[in-house]
Amino acid sequence: MADPQVISDDSSEEAEEDEEEARRIREGFIVDEDEDEEEDDDEARHRRRKRRKRRHRRRDDEEALEEDDLELLEENTGTSFRNRLTRLRRGPEGGSPPAPSTSKRKPVVESSEDDLDDEDLPQVQDIQRIWDDERAGGGRDDEEDMDDFIDYEDEDEGAGAMDEQEREERRRERKKRERERRRAIGSRPELAGIDDMAWDEIHGVFGDGHDYDWALVGDDEMDFEEERLKPEMRYQDVFEPSEIRARMLTEDDDLIRAQDIPERMQLATSSLSQSSTLSLHQNLTEADLDDAAMWVTVRLSPRKTRDFFSPEGPYNMYREPLVMAVTYALRFLFVQEFEVPYIWTHKRDYISYFNPQEMRTRVQLISLAELWRIYALGQKYRSLAQRRNALALSYARLNVEDEYFEQTIRPKIDSVEVVTDATEWLTMRYKLKKQDAFDFQFHDDDDQAETRKRKAPSRISAYEVAKKSIVSKLADGFGIKPHEVVYNFVAQENAHFVDDQELNPVAFAEQFTDPDAIVAQPAEEVLRRARMILATELGKDPLLRQAMRDLFKTDALISVLPTERGMTKIDEHHPYFNFKYLHHKSITQMMDTPQFLHILAAEAELLVTVSTFLTNEAKSKFERRLNDAFASDSYSDTARAWNEERSRVVQEALEQHLIPVGVKWAREWLREEVEDTLAAHCGNVLRERIDVAPYITPEMKPGDTASVLAVSWGKGDPQKDAITLVFLDEAGRLREHTKIDNLVDRDYLDEFTDLLKRRRPDVIVLGGLSMATTKLSSKVRALIKGEPSNSDPTANGADGWGVSEAPKEANEQAFNIPVMYVRDEVARMYQHSKRAAEEFSALSPVAKYCVGLARYVQSPLNEYSALGHDITAIPLEDEDQHLIPKEKLLSALERTLVDVTNKVGVDINRAVNDSYYQHLLPFVCGLGPRKAQVLVKKISAMGGNLINRDQFIKSSLLTTKIFLNAAGFLRISRDPEVKLSKNRHADDDVQDPLDDTRIHPEDYELARKMATDALELDEEDIHDEHPSHVVSVIMQDVDNEKKLNELNLDEFAVSMYEANEDRKRHTLNVIREELLKPFSEQRAPFPSLGPWDVLTMLSGETPRTLRMGLIVSIMVVRLEQTLVHIRLDSGIEGVIDIGYLTEEGNMAPKDVVKKGQTIPGVIVDVKLDLPADQFFVKVSVRQSDLRAGDGLFRSVKRDDQWNLPQFERDSEMQARKKRAEIDRTRRVVKHPNFHNFNATQAENYLDKQQRGDVVIRPSSKGVDHLAVTWKVDDKLYQHIDVTEINTGQGGNLLIVDEKHQYADLDELIVNHVQATARKVEELMAHEKFKHGSEDELHLFLKNFVAANPAKSIYGFTLNRRKPGHFNLCFLANKNSTVQTWPVRVMPESYCLFDAAVAGVPELCDAFKVR
């Protein structure tokens, strides 16, 4: 037998490859080298799956060829199948897969690994023809290659003794015979040793090779189907929903981008909000405008209503023009979908008084703030209209005709609350009919049997029960229907009269009592239920409810009282103290202050209770009117009795229904109004900060941008913080950034001055995080002015500058550069923001802070706009801003940003190429974050630059409505060197001077006409020129102002109105101004900060926290002969004059205070000198000044409406409690059993003592009481209240339970406590006493009676709910329940109910007798 390790092949390889390599090859670690390395992943996965399946089939085939199968094959074919595979080698590179030399080796070859790796493997149909190929001998041309792939061991036993040469010769001979046999098989298959009979037998045993085709086909089809049905990968499958929302990639965002509607009009909330949602509203139509205009006009403001609609109002004659102006505004906003800035800028003539006969009379009917108010009210009206339509549909589905609803209620539905009330009223009135219609809808057809029904509520109100009973007939007997009463009330005259009954109410009600009822109801009860029906129907009437709401709106009062917790927590220094005892304050007085929001916040903290109610006069008047509408005019006794019943109905309707509805509504309405007012105030504060022009020097022109050097010392720590300098050029680019340690050393001074010489900044701005910034400011100012560069005369090592050794010589050069402080609230946020990290990742936080300062100077609007939703973190109203809901505050601030951005305009080309300036683009009229984003992408794809505004439409950059909204505010700056083409039609890629103005494209022809007239040209003169050529000429004309002012714009406006009814008077003024100064600066100059602004920025102190009379903590910094230098916790420095140091005023400071000492001091004066950078306080530390305290200065002012009597009562009660607490804790009784314990401490002390032990302690009831605690049993203690009475004879009397009197504590312990304890012990020793709980005794009694049915049983146990008492429990028989009687233990007896007995046997006898 040959050695199995000796492997021979035709290439004479050495046997260096071991079994491990063969195994790796078999497992597929080595693949064909000619396999395409660039095939894609899907194809590779597909081949790997097929390879695994084939490998699996190969293993199955190999396992199937067991010993018996091989013997059967040998018998039928005469051929040996016992050759075994001994080695796998890589096949030849390239070429088709090799085939075996004979058919008997076919199964081995088909499952070889190299074949599976080859891309040219035959597919399923080739495999199905495998047997046919064998017979035909096809595909055998390359079979020789198999000799290089698989070697078989020779069957010769002597083969192992051959040398290498003999084996080589034998192998060649065998290959030669194999080739000859193959050629023979190709012509005559039977020569292969397998005849037709043998083939049939093989097919019968093994099949024809097609038995598992179904599995192969299924696998391939499955793979194909799997690939085909595999869903397409979307970004929703990869990213988190929050990330998708943040990047504005949701389906709603796509819809907002696509719709031709201004983005802010598509949102239900502010576009700045992170949770902004799509609004699903329906727009108003022309048919809605008249009703909407009247609804909106009367709600604009009380002042507007008073001025225009009251007969004595100053603008009463303009009432109709005002309504018309509101109509135009609503049409522009909700029909044509123009945003507020567009209307305010381009359609102002439609919201102003416009009379062609009175062109000189100009009255601004609607302001910008009122235009935003109209927009908000229009949104509310739109919601109201939708709800009214839904109510109409619900009413139609009821399929009823209700004259009262149609004629009276429906015309007066003017608020969402009335819609809700009307819906509730219809539900109440037609509930049964509504249910029937509901049932009919779902059960009239078998096809709908499977429709899922909602479960109706099972709760039925008392009203519904009474309404279905005979009591409803009694309610009808009141002589008038509830809706007729309401009609009389609303009309203020009795159009419906009462039908009087002949019987009095009680006698009439007796007719409706049900004698067959299980519980007979008296007539009074039936009458009460009838009143309840009428009161409910009156209380749910929409018109009555609306009348009550109107009453609360004008006559409601609000009172506040503290809770138990609030009494102690809200002291005189608490901000809530202002309204702690608010009393009967009118709701109208709370509209313009944030006080009510603070009240609601205090209520949420459970510190106060708020009550809202009507004045007695208003309530009485309303009740009287309702009674008059309900009462009978007759004077008989019966009529009076019925009127009394009706009066009770009115009172019940008010108390149970109408007033609660009014209270609930008034709270919400007032909260909404105050929130709106406060949000509008924050918007106005923001407007003051951003509606300002960038800083310019006197030498610069408006519109120019200054280059800025920002300087900051950070927190001002000389050991840690360096001075940071950041320079931004005119374009806002960071040009230089450096740090210097101080401004004292010559090297650092030279570096600073060198920077000033090189960069020549237009302005130097300062900011910092501590008061040390003032030292930096004074040093910088001195250097700029060229003053001597010595250190501050008061400088020392503590102030960070060190002692200068430089000579006091003047600087070589002074600089004319202004130095100023600027607001740093945005810079403080920017230095730690993600935006700063992305823009300037290499800068330190202080350097980023300086960038924020410089940017603020260059454009306050841009810097605030870049904050996004973080703008709510800016403190605009320190104490009240947190009370405004964030969404409401965002909306108010966004409106301010939109107003100012459109007032200034946005250079679209700069916005596309400057990511920082791009933050302004979303606030352009018509745009928003999503539309601005897609606009920038489109323009960038075009090359990033627009030539004229026409490209917005021609290049499909903006849809029609968005273009109309935005065009006038998107400026395209002109290149002055480019001249206009003379071809009138070649304007596609030509600049238009009007594109760099605020003039809207729809008014371009008007502007060209004005320019032509001003230049006194004819159409023929400019026929071949560009249409805007005349505009360029008039803009460059030196006398353009004179020529344009000579135009009669009033006459021009009148002619336009008469021709086309176009109102363009204001537009003509805008055009004239733009032709003179395109996009001129309309904002106020950049403001400088005041002393308090700077002090608050650097220290956090405000006029409220730093004022005369306040006591503050101060630290002694430095001592002089007559002066003490101090510093406050906030960093503000100050002094103590020697006169304020002691009462005598002549002691040396070193004898009174020490350096580094912290002491309290009273602020005497606050000195602020901004130009000199001096901020300091004068302080007194005299004891006489400190002794008075600062409570008077720190206490919160009370509201004018103050409940003084209640305040005094509660104060006295609190004082009494405090005194009692002090007295109780201080009281000491000389007795060995006395301990200063409370109840819990006493119980813990007695826990380890014996039964009957006593603790005497102070009582919480006052100084004339003592508490005695004694141990009854384990975990059971009795607390006895002892009252001390002074007998007036020098002694005290101790009284317990008002019955037992003792002369001293020892007598009380012996004769009361110990006597009681003996009685307890005696009863506990009785055979009838059972230890354990009462439940255990009950169980014992039940078990005993169950075992002895003829007997009864009783027993005693301790009452653990009442220490010192027992429970006597007994069970009379097995059918009864356990009864429990109390037994009280007295020092001398036991008490069973009221019977006192001396001992336990007597107690048992007393029980048996009872």
Side-chain angles (χ1 to χ4, degrees):
M1 185 74 181
D3 187 354
Q5 297 299 324
V6 179
I7 309 298
S8 61
D9 58 16
D10 57 348
S11 60
S12 303
E13 289 182 3
E14 295 296 325
E16 297 168 348
E17 300 174 357
D18 56 10
E19 287 295 323
E20 178 62 18
E21 183 178 357
R23 182 183 65 78
R24 291 173 58 203
I25 297 174
R26 283 197 301 274
E27 291 178 356
F29 280 90
I30 302 178
V31 298
D32 284 345
E33 295 176 1
D34 60 331
E35 185 173 69
D36 185 8
E37 295 179 356
E38 296 180 358
E39 61 186 355
D40 60 15
D41 292 342
D42 292 339
E43 293 176 355
R45 284 197 297 270
H46 182 63
R47 281 201 301 277
R48 283 196 294 271
R49 282 198 297 271
K50 294 183 67 177
R51 189 179 304 160
R52 285 195 296 270
K53 292 172 184 174
R54 291 178 182 174
R55 188 181 303 130
H56 182 67
R57 287 197 295 272
R58 182 194 69 185
R59 287 198 297 268
D60 292 345
D61 291 343
E62 289 179 348
E63 290 171 5
L65 292 177
E66 296 177 351
E67 193 71 24
D68 295 340
D69 298 329
L70 292 174
E71 290 177 0
L72 182 60
L73 280 172
E74 289 175 352
E75 292 174 3
N76 285 278
T77 61
T79 307
S80 175
F81 283 88
R82 300 201 179 265
N83 292 346
R84 59 189 181 86
L85 184 65
T86 60
R87 177 173 174 130
L88 293 176
R89 293 203 313 273
R90 294 183 62 86
E93 295 184 4
S96 59
S101 58
T102 60
S103 61
K104 66 183 178 183
R105 298 179 183 174
K106 186 70 177 182
V108 178
V109 176
E110 280 298 328
S111 56
S112 68
E113 283 292 329
D114 279 5
D115 283 350
L116 295 178
D117 284 346
D118 200 312
E119 291 186 357
D120 298 330
L121 264 176
Q123 301 301 317
V124 175
Q125 58 269 28
D126 300 325
I127 296 173
Q128 291 170 354
R129 292 196 296 270
I130 187 171
W131 301 103
D132 300 335
D133 294 340
E134 286 288 352
R135 293 171 185 168
R140 304 287 183 176
D141 296 341
D142 296 323
E143 283 290 323
E144 303 87 24
D145 295 334
M146 276 305 296
D147 294 334
D148 295 331
F149 188 70
I150 301 175
D151 287 344
Y152 292 87
E153 283 190 359
D154 295 314
E155 295 177 358
D156 239 30
E157 290 183 3
M162 297 180 185
D163 59 15
E164 185 66 20
Q165 185 176 0
E166 290 174 338
R167 281 197 298 270
E168 182 67 20
E169 290 176 356
R170 185 163 184 173
R171 183 159 47 253
R172 290 174 182 169
E173 183 178 354
R174 188 174 63 243
K175 288 167 61 177
K176 182 178 179 181
R177 289 198 304 268
E178 187 68 19
R179 282 194 294 272
E180 291 174 354
R181 186 167 66 245
R182 288 173 188 164
R183 285 194 294 270
I185 290 173
S187 58
R188 295 186 63 186
E190 62 271 12
L191 295 181
I194 303 177
D195 56 14
D196 292 339
M197 293 282 293
W199 279 118
D200 292 340
E201 291 177 6
I202 291 174
H203 286 185
V205 174
F206 299 105
D208 60 357
H210 297 277
D211 293 345
Y212 295 96
D213 287 353
W214 60 272
L216 294 173
V217 173
D219 286 345
D220 288 344
E221 289 180 352
M222 189 183 306
D223 292 341
F224 173 74
E225 192 68 15
E226 182 181 341
E227 293 293 332
R228 188 178 68 84
L229 296 179
K230 187 175 181 180
E232 183 181 351
M233 184 65 70
R234 303 179 305 164
Y235 59 81
Q236 287 91 339
D237 303 324
V238 179
F239 296 103
E240 290 289 335
S242 58
E243 185 71 14
I244 294 174
R245 282 195 301 271
R247 295 177 180 273
M248 297 181 292
L249 294 173
T250 65
E251 293 180 358
D252 284 352
D253 294 324
D254 295 337
L255 183 61
I256 292 170
R257 274 187 282 266
Q259 289 191 127
D260 188 18
I261 302 173
E263 181 169 331
R264 277 174 286 275
M265 288 187 169
Q266 298 185 57
L267 297 174
T269 55
S270 167
S271 65
L272 293 175
S273 172
Q274 292 179 302
S275 58
S276 57
T277 55
L278 190 64
S279 174
L280 303 177
H281 63 266
Q282 296 177 354
N283 255 349
L284 300 180
T285 62
E286 285 287 342
D288 299 324
L289 290 181
D290 290 339
D291 184 47
M294 284 305 302
W295 190 89
V296 168
T297 303
V298 297
R299 289 168 174 79
L300 270 178
S301 67
R303 183 188 61 80
K304 210 76 172 176
T305 304
R306 183 178 61 253
D307 291 349
F308 283 82
F309 290 92
S310 63
E312 62 276 5
Y315 299 105
N316 179 261
M317 71 286 295
Y318 300 115
R319 182 176 65 252
E320 292 183 6
L322 174 65
V323 176
M324 186 58 64
V326 173
T327 306
Y328 275 119
L330 291 171
R331 179 180 291 110
F332 291 137
L333 287 166
F334 296 102
V335 178
Q336 300 178 11
E337 295 175 322
F338 292 130
E339 281 205 275
V340 168
Y342 172 86
I343 301 171
W344 180 250
T345 305
H346 304 298
K347 299 293 182 183
R348 199 181 303 184
D349 289 295
Y350 290 88
I351 58 173
S352 303
Y353 179 68
F354 186 92
N355 188 341
Q357 282 74 39
E358 302 178 20
M359 291 303 294
R360 296 289 181 183
T361 304
R362 296 176 185 173
V363 179
Q364 184 174 295
L365 301 175
I366 298 173
S367 66
L368 179 58
E370 288 168 342
L371 194 56
W372 280 112
R373 173 77 173 157
I374 290 173
Y375 180 52
L377 289 172
Q379 290 176 312
K380 292 183 178 180
Y381 179 84
R382 185 172 60 193
S383 176
L384 169 63
Q386 290 178 340
R387 293 180 183 230
R388 281 200 300 210
N389 294 337
L391 175 63
L393 291 174
S394 300
Y395 176 70
R397 280 198 297 269
L398 290 174
N399 198 24
V400 297
E401 292 186 5
D402 191 312
E403 182 180 353
Y404 176 64
F405 177 79
E406 295 179 1
Q407 303 295 329
T408 308
I409 294 180
R410 182 183 282 179
K412 296 188 177 182
I413 296 179
D414 62 351
S415 69
V416 174
E417 292 82 10
V418 180
V419 174
T420 304
D421 294 339
T423 305
E424 187 178 347
W425 183 82
L426 284 174
T427 303
M428 176 195 72
R429 187 158 185 173
Y430 298 105
K431 186 170 186 179
L432 294 177
K433 187 173 183 63
K434 182 179 179 182
Q435 185 63 43
D436 294 341
F438 184 81
D439 294 341
F440 177 79
Q441 179 183 357
F442 283 91
H443 294 286
D444 60 344
D445 196 344
D446 293 339
D447 293 339
Q448 299 182 3
E450 296 183 0
T451 303
R452 183 175 180 180
K453 292 179 61 178
R454 293 177 181 170
K455 182 180 178 181
S458 58
R459 180 180 174 186
I460 300 176
S461 65
Y463 166 80
E464 293 177 71
V465 174
K467 191 69 176 175
K468 293 179 182 177
S469 68
I470 197 172
V471 178
S472 62
K473 299 291 185 183
L474 174 57
D476 294 339
F478 273 67
I480 185 171
K481 296 183 180 300
H483 69 268
E484 294 174 343
V485 176
V486 178
Y487 188 89
N488 291 344
F489 177 85
V490 173
Q492 297 190 5
E493 61 179 7
N494 287 0
H496 299 278
F497 296 95
V498 178
D499 294 333
D500 292 322
Q501 297 289 343
E502 296 180 358
L503 299 174
N504 64 44
V506 176
F508 185 75
E510 289 176 349
Q511 302 176 11
F512 299 93
T513 57
D514 189 355
D516 298 330
I518 299 175
V519 180
Q521 294 185 345
E524 288 79 5
E525 175 63 18
V526 177
L527 201 57
R528 183 195 65 78
R529 296 178 66 196
R531 290 198 302 269
M532 182 266 295
I533 291 177
L534 293 172
T536 302
E537 293 181 357
L538 282 175
K540 289 186 179 295
D541 188 279
L543 301 186
L544 266 188
R545 286 187 169 190
Q546 183 59 31
M548 181 56 70
R549 282 192 288 266
D550 291 340
L551 193 61
F552 266 88
K553 192 173 182 178
T554 56
D555 295 317
L557 300 176
I558 293 176
S559 290
V560 176
L561 283 176
T563 60
E564 286 292 331
R565 183 176 170 215
M567 283 185 188
T568 56
K569 189 168 184 179
I570 303 177
D571 57 15
E572 293 186 350
H573 307 308
H574 198 284
Y576 294 162
F577 183 75
N578 169 258
F579 52 80
K580 183 178 181 180
Y581 289 94
L582 191 70
H583 186 62
H584 290 194
K585 186 167 184 176
S586 173
I587 197 171
T588 56
Q589 295 177 338
M590 307 187 77
M591 297 284 292
D592 299 326
T593 67
Q595 185 185 55
F596 188 68
L597 297 182
H598 287 285
I599 292 175
L600 293 180
E603 186 182 43
E605 296 174 27
L606 305 179
L607 298 178
V608 300
T609 57
V610 186
S611 54
T612 308
F613 48 90
L614 289 172
T615 61
N616 291 331
E617 181 183 355
K619 181 180 176 182
S620 300
K621 184 178 179 181
F622 189 93
E623 186 175 356
R624 189 164 55 250
R625 277 184 59 194
L626 195 53
N627 274 322
D628 292 343
F630 200 0
S632 169
D633 295 335
S634 300
Y635 295 100
S636 63
D637 293 341
T638 303
R640 280 199 295 271
W642 277 104
N643 281 344
E644 289 179 4
E645 291 297 321
R646 296 185 186 105
S647 179
R648 293 178 186 173
V649 171
V650 169
Q651 194 169 3
E652 184 176 348
L654 282 172
E655 299 297 335
Q656 300 297 325
H657 300 282
L658 295 176
I659 289 180
V661 165
V663 169
K664 183 178 179 181
W665 174 85
R667 281 172 57 98
E668 290 304 307
W669 174 78
L670 181 58
R671 180 182 61 80
E672 287 276 345
E673 291 294 319
V674 175
E675 285 176 354
D676 290 342
T677 302
L678 195 53
H681 174 68
C682 290
N684 292 334
V685 174
L686 178 63
R687 189 184 303 273
E688 293 174 2
R689 298 188 185 179
I690 65 174
D691 194 12
V692 294
Y695 177 83
I696 57 173
T697 61
E699 296 80 18
M700 299 170 65
K701 295 183 298 183
D704 291 345
T705 303
S707 58
V708 184
L709 176 64
V711 184
S712 177
W713 194 12
K715 294 183 179 180
D717 187 339
Q719 307 300 325
K720 298 179 182 179
D721 301 316
I723 300 172
T724 303
L725 301 98
V726 170
F727 175 76
L728 265 61
D729 65 9
E730 295 82 356
R733 294 185 293 262
L734 176 64
R735 289 301 190 186
E736 190 160 345
H737 159 237
T738 187
K739 291 182 179 181
I740 57 178
D741 285 347
N742 57 59
L743 287 177
V744 176
D745 295 345
R746 173 57 60 186
D747 291 343
Y748 296 130
L749 283 173
D750 292 344
E751 184 175 354
F752 180 72
T753 54
D754 179 62
L755 175 62
L756 296 180
K757 292 176 183 178
R758 284 187 292 106
R759 295 301 183 181
R760 291 286 177 179
D762 295 318
V763 63
I764 298 175
V765 298
L766 295 164
L769 309 177
S770 72
M771 288 300 298
T773 306
T774 58
K775 293 185 174 59
L776 173 65
S777 174
S778 61
K779 194 66 181 175
V780 170
R781 293 177 195 272
L783 290 173
I784 296 299
K785 293 177 182 178
E787 295 176 358
S789 58
N790 63 302
S791 61
D792 193 292
T794 63
N796 54 44
D799 63 12
W801 301 103
V803 179
S804 174
E805 298 179 359
K808 297 183 179 181
E809 58 184 12
N811 285 344
E812 296 178 1
Q813 181 178 357
F815 299 92
N816 184 22
I817 304 175
V819 180
M820 61 187 298
Y821 290 100
V822 293
R823 290 188 182 277
D824 71 341
E825 52 199 7
V826 183
R828 288 182 186 235
M829 293 179 62
Y830 176 75
Q831 65 177 331
H832 302 298
S833 68
K834 181 180 177 182
R835 182 163 57 92
E838 293 172 351
E839 290 181 307
F840 305 105
S841 58
L843 297 187
S844 65
V846 177
K848 295 173 186 174
Y849 171 81
C850 290
V851 171
L853 293 177
R855 282 181 166 180
Y856 178 80
V857 172
Q858 291 186 332
S859 177
L861 171 62
N862 210 151
E863 194 64 2
Y864 276 92
S865 299
L867 289 174
H869 65 272
D870 291 332
I871 194 171
T872 54
I874 297 293
L876 302 168
E877 187 66 40
D878 291 337
E879 298 179 1
D880 311 317
Q881 185 172 331
H882 67 282
L883 300 171
I884 312 171
K886 187 172 182 179
E887 293 296 335
K888 188 170 288 188
L889 180 60
L890 272 176
S891 296
L893 301 183
E894 181 189 37
R895 289 175 179 177
T896 300
L897 290 170
V898 168
D899 283 342
V900 179
T901 301
N902 289 282
K903 180 178 181 179
V904 176
V906 175
D907 187 331
I908 184 62
N909 289 327
R910 180 183 171 191
V912 171
N913 297 291
D914 185 344
S915 60
Y916 171 64
Y917 183 74
Q918 198 177 103
H919 288 109
L920 291 175
L921 197 56
F923 300 105
V924 170
C925 183
L927 300 181
R930 297 158 189 81
K931 290 186 181 291
Q933 183 187 64
V934 72
L935 176 62
V936 169
K937 288 182 179 178
K938 288 181 178 179
I939 297 176
S940 298
M942 293 172 52
N945 192 59
L946 294 183
I947 305 299
N948 53 47
R949 286 173 175 168
D950 290 342
Q951 289 179 275
F952 285 119
I953 293 297
K954 292 181 179 179
S955 301
S956 300
L957 300 177
L958 296 175
T959 51
T960 304
K961 283 182 183 175
I962 307 305
F963 173 75
L964 292 175
N965 271 283
F969 309 107
L970 293 175
R971 63 184 298 187
I972 300 177
S973 300
R974 288 182 62 199
D975 185 350
E977 297 180 359
V978 176
K979 295 184 179 181
L980 293 180
S981 170
K982 290 191 175 184
N983 187 350
R984 291 182 62 87
H985 305 290
D987 57 355
D988 291 348
D989 56 352
V990 175
Q991 290 185 347
D992 191 326
L994 293 175
D995 291 339
D996 195 16
T997 67
R998 292 185 175 92
I999 303 171
H1000 197 277
E1002 66 184 7
D1003 296 322
Y1004 277 9
E1005 289 301 324
L1006 203 55
R1008 292 162 183 161
K1009 171 67 174 169
M1010 284 182 62
T1012 304
D1013 292 348
L1015 294 171
E1016 298 181 354
L1017 298 176
D1018 295 330
E1019 290 290 337
E1020 294 79 8
D1021 298 334
I1022 55 173
H1023 180 70
D1024 294 330
E1025 301 289 348
H1026 186 277
S1028 294
H1029 171 71
V1030 288
V1031 175
S1032 298
V1033 174
I1034 193 67
M1035 285 181 174
Q1036 296 168 6
D1037 195 314
V1038 292
D1039 291 331
N1040 53 7
E1041 185 172 0
K1042 177 183 177 183
K1043 292 179 180 179
L1044 287 170
N1045 288 336
E1046 288 176 352
L1047 295 176
N1048 190 337
L1049 299 185
D1050 289 339
E1051 184 179 336
F1052 194 10
V1054 170
S1055 63
M1056 292 182 62
Y1057 180 77
E1058 292 174 349
N1060 304 311
E1061 293 193 358
D1062 285 340
R1063 301 184 178 190
K1064 295 287 186 180
R1065 183 64 188 87
H1066 175 264
T1067 303
L1068 293 176
N1069 282 342
V1070 171
I1071 293 174
R1072 178 174 59 189
E1073 294 301 321
E1074 290 301 307
L1075 291 178
L1076 293 172
K1077 298 177 181 178
F1079 270 107
S1080 59
E1081 183 59 71
Q1082 298 178 351
R1083 294 171 290 179
F1086 190 87
S1088 57
L1089 294 183
W1092 274 110
D1093 295 325
V1094 175
L1095 186 65
T1096 302
M1097 178 179 75
L1098 298 179
S1099 68
E1101 300 282 7
T1102 65
R1104 187 174 60 84
T1105 62
L1106 193 72
R1107 61 176 186 232
M1108 291 176 58
L1110 294 183
I1111 296 178
V1112 294
S1113 176
I1114 59 176
M1115 185 179 73
V1116 178
V1117 176
R1118 192 166 66 253
L1119 300 177
E1120 295 181 4
Q1121 289 184 355
T1122 60
L1123 208 62
V1124 178
H1125 293 268
I1126 54 98
R1127 181 181 298 126
L1128 275 60
D1129 292 339
S1130 58
I1132 298 176
E1133 297 186 350
V1135 295
I1136 305 175
D1137 290 332
I1138 193 170
Y1140 287 107
L1141 203 56
T1142 60
E1143 302 294 340
E1144 295 78 11
N1146 55 5
M1147 293 183 66
K1150 63 180 180 179
D1151 298 331
V1152 181
V1153 294
K1154 297 179 180 179
K1155 182 179 178 180
Q1157 183 180 359
T1158 301
I1159 55 176
V1162 180
I1163 297 177
V1164 177
D1165 195 9
V1166 180
K1167 297 288 187 181
L1168 306 180
D1169 187 356
L1170 183 58
D1173 287 300
Q1174 291 185 357
F1175 303 86
F1176 69 95
V1177 293
K1178 288 186 176 181
V1179 178
S1180 169
V1181 294
R1182 293 183 305 197
Q1183 290 301 314
S1184 58
D1185 295 332
L1186 292 171
R1187 197 177 301 119
D1190 61 354
L1192 183 64
F1193 299 96
R1194 291 189 183 274
S1195 61
V1196 177
K1197 183 184 176 184
R1198 306 174 186 173
D1199 192 275
D1200 294 336
Q1201 303 290 328
W1202 188 260
N1203 191 347
L1204 186 60
Q1206 185 67 41
F1207 169 65
E1208 291 176 346
R1209 284 196 297 270
D1210 288 351
S1211 298
E1212 179 60 29
M1213 185 180 68
Q1214 290 294 107
R1216 267 204 318 270
K1217 283 185 178 181
K1218 199 168 186 180
R1219 285 196 302 269
E1221 183 73 18
I1222 294 172
D1223 293 341
R1224 183 176 66 83
T1225 55
R1226 288 180 180 174
R1227 183 168 186 188
V1228 176
V1229 176
K1230 292 182 179 180
H1231 193 278
N1233 291 80
F1234 180 85
H1235 298 277
N1236 204 351
F1237 288 162
N1238 58 26
T1240 304
Q1241 290 170 331
E1243 291 178 0
N1244 293 337
Y1245 173 79
L1246 290 172
D1247 186 43
K1248 299 176 182 178
Q1249 307 299 320
Q1250 301 296 322
R1251 283 191 299 192
D1253 283 355
V1254 181
V1255 165
I1256 303 171
R1257 58 187 180 84
S1259 173
S1260 60
K1261 293 186 177 180
V1263 293
D1264 57 346
H1265 287 258
L1266 283 173
V1268 176
T1269 302
W1270 68 281
K1271 185 174 182 178
V1272 181
D1273 196 12
D1274 290 339
K1275 304 298 181 184
L1276 191 64
Y1277 311 91
Q1278 184 180 28
H1279 303 281
I1280 302 172
D1281 179 35
V1282 180
T1283 304
E1284 289 184 281
I1285 297 178
N1286 192 336
T1287 61
Q1289 300 175 358
N1292 289 338
L1293 199 61
L1294 305 179
I1295 300 176
V1296 180
D1297 292 338
E1298 298 181 356
K1299 297 178 182 178
H1300 305 88
Q1301 298 182 0
Y1302 306 99
D1304 55 27
L1305 288 174
D1306 290 329
E1307 182 185 355
L1308 184 144
I1309 292 173
V1310 172
N1311 294 336
H1312 189 94
V1313 177
Q1314 293 182 358
T1316 304
R1318 284 194 296 271
K1319 288 290 183 183
V1320 171
E1321 291 287 350
E1322 182 183 350
L1323 184 51
M1324 291 177 68
H1326 195 266
E1327 61 180 1
K1328 291 294 184 180
F1329 178 82
K1330 299 297 178 186
H1331 290 276
S1333 66
E1334 186 177 344
D1335 292 337
E1336 293 174 352
L1337 177 58
H1338 287 188
L1339 182 61
F1340 167 78
L1341 299 178
K1342 291 176 182 177
N1343 291 340
F1344 180 86
V1345 173
N1348 305 279
K1351 294 184 178 181
S1352 60
I1353 184 70
Y1354 70 95
F1356 298 96
T1357 188
L1358 285 167
N1359 186 342
R1360 293 196 169 270
R1361 292 189 180 88
K1362 287 187 176 182
H1365 291 64
F1366 287 83
N1367 283 337
L1368 192 161
C1369 304
F1370 65 92
L1371 189 60
N1373 53 63
K1374 65 178 183 178
N1375 295 323
S1376 62
T1377 59
V1378 178
Q1379 300 292 319
T1380 301
W1381 288 358
V1383 176
R1384 184 182 179 193
V1385 182
M1386 306 290 287
E1388 68 282 352
S1389 63
Y1390 301 100
C1391 290
L1392 179 64
F1393 294 108
D1394 296 331
V1397 294
V1400 177
E1402 291 84 357
L1403 176 64
C1404 295
D1405 292 341
F1407 159 68
K1408 294 173 182 177
V1409 170
R1410 291 183 71 92

